[in-house]
Amino acid sequence: EIGVRLVGSEMCIRDRNNIEMKREEAEMEISVFELRLKVYTLVDINLEEVLLAEAEYIDSAFALDDEWFRFHENNEYKNYTFSGLYPLAKDGIYKKDNVYTITIRTVDSRLEQYMRKTLANHYTDKMKGLTITSRIIPKKFINQLYTLTPVIQKYDGGYWKKAVSIDEYEKRLFANAVKKYNAFTGEKIDEDFQLYNEISFINKKPVKFPCKGIVLLGDKINLKIADNKLAQELAYFLTGTGLGETNSRGAGFCNYRWL
């Protein structure tokens, strides 16, 4: 069983008082937009199906506009991710006739504008939009990223622990993050840097993730982010896109802890 893994030269605990980041290093062109959408549930929704219901809600809003429908249909990075409903369902069921909040994040300003304009006035057979607010997440030194929804990485052999080593898992996690960043910025960053010093797995058992008629297995993870400029920039970006794959279905939604 894999619990906590230290990476590279970071196998010693360093004095945090020695970690400083200059203001100019924290200045990044990318902005992460966070939308808080309040919805009213029209039916009971099981916990394991809630991300599917939210994805259907967002997908059907894209279908209202030809440009955004093409965006939805294209095989490309979507650059948004979202959380489950809040507050959490205590008995595993989000009850009908209740108000919940969905947190949606994106690094795409045009997508943020479309969602802000559309989602609050939208509805499906499962939920109806009520209000929406938007803000830009401040750029501060990120100490940790931790996922509230499972990180998904698809392998021919199924669940990653049965298919690949932890080293291969981490390499793919890093490569996916860099590819998303490069695709969005149009740049090719130098990949010779350390994104995090430590990775830990929060769940003891694989987390089920229903997606397009099948059930995938993933993990909720915690990353202690490194204190170099590229790590901080990429970590901030990932708060808006999610970790791993299938982010537009709700996988890999990250929260953060500032130093």
Side-chain angles (χ1 to χ4, degrees):
E1 182 176 331
I2 300 166
V4 176
R5 181 177 172 88
L6 297 174
V7 180
S9 62
E10 301 300 329
M11 293 188 180
C12 60
I13 299 173
R14 294 177 297 175
D15 184 356
R16 286 294 180 184
N17 293 329
N18 293 329
I19 298 176
E20 296 180 358
M21 171 172 279
K22 296 179 181 179
R23 285 182 179 271
E24 58 267 26
E25 288 184 341
E27 291 178 359
M28 300 173 254
E29 295 182 1
I30 291 170
S31 293
V32 174
F33 301 91
E34 180 179 86
L35 300 108
R36 296 285 181 91
L37 171 67
K38 288 191 179 297
V39 297
Y40 182 81
T41 48
L42 303 175
V43 296
D44 290 348
I45 305 173
N46 292 328
L47 178 61
E48 290 188 354
E49 298 175 354
V50 71
L51 293 176
L52 275 176
E54 293 174 53
E56 289 170 2
Y57 187 91
I58 296 170
D59 292 348
S60 59
F62 287 139
L64 300 175
D65 181 276
D66 289 343
E67 177 188 356
W68 290 106
F69 181 68
R70 288 193 298 271
F71 163 82
H72 168 64
E73 291 290 294
N74 287 344
N75 183 21
E76 60 186 28
Y77 293 122
K78 302 300 190 234
N79 295 317
Y80 73 90
T81 185
F82 55 88
S83 70
L85 296 181
Y86 183 83
L88 299 176
K90 294 181 179 179
D91 59 357
I93 299 177
Y94 292 93
K95 302 292 187 181
K96 176 184 176 182
D97 297 329
N98 275 271
V99 176
Y100 296 95
T101 299
I102 305 170
T103 299
I104 306 167
R105 297 210 194 107
T106 182
V107 292
D108 187 329
S109 61
R110 291 188 66 247
L111 179 56
E112 182 271 342
Q113 291 171 16
Y114 182 75
M115 287 181 164
R116 179 160 41 88
K117 180 181 72 174
T118 308
L119 293 182
N121 300 312
H122 190 53
Y123 67 91
T124 63
D125 60 343
K126 294 182 177 65
M127 60 183 71
K128 181 183 184 337
L130 297 174
T131 64
I132 195 166
T133 60
S134 180
R135 70 172 185 133
I136 294 176
I137 294 178
K139 297 166 184 173
K140 299 182 182 181
F141 189 103
I142 296 175
N143 184 32
Q144 294 181 51
L145 288 183
Y146 60 97
T147 61
L148 299 181
T149 59
V151 173
I152 298 297
Q153 297 197 133
K154 300 172 188 173
Y155 297 93
D156 292 338
Y159 179 50
W160 75 269
K161 287 185 180 180
K162 296 182 179 180
V164 298
S165 68
I166 178 66
D167 287 336
E168 290 173 292
Y169 177 89
E170 291 186 77
K171 286 177 183 176
R172 182 158 169 175
L173 189 70
F174 177 78
N176 175 272
V178 169
K179 285 177 182 177
K180 279 189 284 199
Y181 182 90
N182 288 345
F184 180 74
T185 62
E187 302 173 359
K188 191 177 188 317
I189 60 173
D190 181 1
E191 297 181 25
D192 186 20
F193 72 97
Q194 193 165 293
L195 173 59
Y196 55 87
N197 304 328
E198 181 182 301
I199 180 172
S200 58
F201 294 82
I202 300 169
N203 50 284
K204 294 183 179 179
K205 297 180 181 179
V207 180
K208 292 181 180 179
F209 184 82
C211 180
K212 298 181 180 179
I214 61 174
V215 177
L216 303 172
L217 296 176
D219 293 277
K220 296 179 182 180
I221 66 174
N222 185 309
L223 301 178
K224 291 190 177 179
I225 303 302
D227 65 343
N228 63 77
K229 181 180 178 182
L230 282 175
Q232 289 295 313
E233 186 166 352
L234 186 54
Y236 180 76
F237 175 79
L238 292 169
T239 65
T241 63
L243 272 165
E245 304 162 13
T246 323
N247 304 127
S248 63
R249 307 295 90 193
F253 179 85
C254 299
N255 248 352
Y256 49 87
R257 290 189 179 95
W258 289 322
L259 184 64

